[in-house]
Every structure is written in C-alpha cells, then in structure tokens.
Amino acid sequence: MEYCFSLLVDRTCIRLVDTEITSSKAGSGYRGISRVRTYKFSHPDVPAAFDGFRIAFISDLHYKSLFKEKGLENLVRLLNDQRADVLLVGGDLHEGCEYVAPVVSALAAVKVPMGTYVVLGNNDYEACYADIVRQLEAHNIHLLEHRVDTLKRDGAEILIAGVRNPFDLQKNGVSPTLALSPDDFVILLMHTPDYAEDVAITNTDLVLAGHTHGGQVTLFGLYAPILPSHYGQRFRGGLKRNSQGIPMIITNGLGTSNKNIRMFAPSEVVVIELNVHH
C-alpha cells in the first residue's frame, strides 16, 4: 500500500510498506498489541546522516484498561525488538494515579540510543500531572511541553517539537514550530490531531498524534460512531494531512477508554523510517 503527498513538486512521500499482524493468542506474538505499522517517510529536509533513522511511536496506553500487565511487558519487548533510534510517546499514559510509576518504568526499559520523548494527553492533565512529571524526570525521559529538542547524528540534526495540552488553545494556541527554520526537518508530537488543524503549525514536516483510538469501535473499520474529534471521521487514524498539506500519522494507540473493547480498530505500534529524498 503506498501513499505519496506532494507539498511542492513531489516533495514528500510516505509509504506504508508493511503491516505486521502479531498474534494475540497466549504464548505467541506480543499479546495485547494487534499490529506494528511501518512507514517509510522521505523528505528533502531529512539529512543524509538520518537516512534509515527509525522512530518508534506509541500513544494512549490508558494503563490499565484493555491494555494490562502482560501487554505492557510485551510492549517493552516489542519496542526493543524494533531497534528504533528514538521512542516518541503521544500521551494518555494511565487510568489511575497508582499506574503512573509502573507505566513510566516500562517506558524507561525501552532501549533507544537517542532517548524517549513524551507529550501528555487529556487524562494526564486531568489527574496525577505532578506525579507524571516526577516519574519522567526520575527516569530521564524528556517531556516536551511546548519545547523543541535536537537529535544529532554525524554532525547533522533533526528537531522534535512537542505540544503542551493541545485542548487549551488560549494558553497553547501558538505552535512551538513557528520559531523554527523551514530548512530544518521538524517532527511535531501532539496528543490530539485536531491541534494540527486548529492552529498554524508552520515549519512542521511530519505530525504524530493519537487520542482518537482509531475510533476504538468501528463499523468494519470504515466508520466510527463515536470519535473524539471536532472534525468527524477526517482524523480517525492512519495517514492524513491537514489543510496546510502537512502529513500526519495518527495512531490507533494501545489502550482503551470508557469501555474496554476494540472492534475493527486494532491496537498498534507505529514505526517510521526516515529516508533522504531522491
């Protein structure tokens, strides 16, 4: 399956090159995670030093929900097996303050040479925010709340920007990417994809978001009766773009909210491989 988005003249190409369905049966595969989706992303701003750079992206663990202890253990194993260079996390970590420590500890067990970067979701701001911040700091995990961090490799660099509480546009309605250079390769990490449509995210090359759970319960994967987005089915999941033409990868996430059920909206881990544009 292949998708190509042209921002100028064949400027950006994203290919969904693989969908690995992992077994959900006990004793095999990675129980608690339905699939790994792998994208290859080529863009002229990707430095040659980052050709083949692997990004693991997860969101919406909602631990514990349908995603329980075994799923969390398997997630760490799966992520380590992906041999990613960096781990990005899109928020909604927990379903109770007592679960903050174990979920952050699990994230810290993922071995990525360039570290783990996190933005928070609505659940995280509604409860246990201070606990989450303390746990992330204790495990040397980077919290990107309207912050930009630089990943360096062989003298080249790419930028990871993160959005603080994207539901509070009065305080956070100016994207942290606006001050960046259009020549930099910039990934913008956010909890809800709506933010990429609600505000200008100029200088962003790729958006990563969660929150929608892929609808969580859908009609054969085609329509979600309930979807937490102001834009209807538009940002339900997968590969999309906003009105500025900026590519967005929206993950189905791992856990569940409200009811512990998924239907035609498989839980997933996303892997993005960066490629130099030819």
Side-chain angles (χ1 to χ4, degrees), residues 95-213:
E95 286 290 329
C97 295
E98 65 271 31
Y99 303 128
V100 170
V103 76
V104 174
S105 179
L107 294 177
V110 179
K111 298 176 178 64
V112 276
M114 292 202 180
T116 296
Y117 293 82
V118 174
V119 295
L120 300 182
N122 46 296
N123 278 32
D124 306 317
Y125 287 108
E126 289 165 4
C128 325
Y129 172 81
D131 292 342
I132 295 169
V133 172
R134 279 195 297 269
Q135 287 291 328
L136 293 175
E137 289 176 348
H139 288 88
N140 198 30
I141 294 174
H142 308 282
L143 177 59
L144 294 180
E145 293 198 293
H146 262 61
R147 278 187 49 229
V148 180
D149 214 337
T150 304
L151 304 185
K152 297 182 179 180
R153 192 184 212 188
D154 298 335
E157 61 185 39
I158 64 174
L159 304 179
I160 309 291
V163 174
R164 178 180 54 233
N165 193 353
F167 303 96
D168 188 348
L169 297 184
Q170 185 173 353
K171 290 183 179 179
N172 304 317
V174 177
S175 170
T177 64
L178 298 191
L180 303 179
S181 167
D183 296 326
D184 289 323
F185 182 76
V186 178
I187 297 171
L188 182 57
L189 182 63
M190 61 184 67
H191 182 61
T192 173
D194 285 9
Y195 188 87
E197 190 69 15
D198 291 338
V199 307
I201 56 169
T202 307
N203 301 321
T204 300
D205 296 304
L206 176 63
V207 169
L208 300 180
H211 185 57
T212 62
H213 299 197

Side-chain angles (χ1 to χ4, degrees), residues 16-270:
L16 174 57
V17 295
D18 178 43
T19 300
E20 176 190 343
I21 305 298
T22 59
S23 174
S24 61
K25 295 180 180 178
S28 62
Y30 303 96
R31 187 176 183 180
I33 305 138
S34 298
R35 70 186 182 190
V36 175
R37 303 205 85 177
T38 304
Y39 297 85
K40 287 196 173 185
F41 182 91
S42 63
H43 190 284
D45 289 345
V46 173
F50 282 85
D51 191 44
F53 187 82
R54 288 171 64 82
I55 300 163
F57 171 48
I58 61 173
S59 189
D60 298 275
L61 287 81
H62 289 275
Y63 184 73
K64 298 175 180 178
S65 56
L66 190 63
F67 190 67
K68 300 188 186 299
E69 292 99 326
K70 192 62 178 177
L72 190 61
E73 293 171 8
N74 286 336
L75 175 65
V76 174
R77 186 164 59 91
L78 185 154
L79 288 171
N80 283 328
D81 287 348
Q82 301 309 305
R83 300 187 181 277
D85 296 290
V86 68
L87 172 62
L88 305 183
V89 184
D92 272 3
L93 302 177
H94 69 89
E95 286 290 329
C97 295
E98 65 271 31
Y99 303 128
V100 170
V103 76
V104 174
S105 179
L107 294 177
V110 179
K111 298 176 178 64
V112 276
M114 292 202 180
T116 296
Y117 293 82
V118 174
V119 295
L120 300 182
N122 46 296
N123 278 32
D124 306 317
Y125 287 108
E126 289 165 4
C128 325
Y129 172 81
D131 292 342
I132 295 169
V133 172
R134 279 195 297 269
Q135 287 291 328
L136 293 175
E137 289 176 348
H139 288 88
N140 198 30
I141 294 174
H142 308 282
L143 177 59
L144 294 180
E145 293 198 293
H146 262 61
R147 278 187 49 229
V148 180
D149 214 337
T150 304
L151 304 185
K152 297 182 179 180
R153 192 184 212 188
D154 298 335
E157 61 185 39
I158 64 174
L159 304 179
I160 309 291
V163 174
R164 178 180 54 233
N165 193 353
F167 303 96
D168 188 348
L169 297 184
Q170 185 173 353
K171 290 183 179 179
N172 304 317
V174 177
S175 170
T177 64
L178 298 191
L180 303 179
S181 167
D183 296 326
D184 289 323
F185 182 76
V186 178
I187 297 171
L188 182 57
L189 182 63
M190 61 184 67
H191 182 61
T192 173
D194 285 9
Y195 188 87
E197 190 69 15
D198 291 338
V199 307
I201 56 169
T202 307
N203 301 321
T204 300
D205 296 304
L206 176 63
V207 169
L208 300 180
H211 185 57
T212 62
H213 299 197
Q216 191 166 306
V217 174
T218 76
L219 303 177
F220 304 102
L222 301 174
Y223 176 83
I226 299 174
L227 197 64
S229 171
H230 298 307
Y231 297 98
Q233 304 295 309
R234 182 177 173 189
F235 298 135
R236 180 164 57 85
L239 185 57
K240 307 294 181 183
R241 55 179 167 178
N242 72 351
S243 294
Q244 295 175 268
I246 297 172
M248 307 167 62
I249 294 174
I250 305 162
T251 179
N252 287 0
L254 293 159
T256 52
S257 61
N258 297 321
K259 295 186 181 297
N260 289 341
I261 183 173
R262 279 186 177 270
M263 185 177 297
F264 298 104
S267 60
E268 65 185 18
V269 166
V270 169

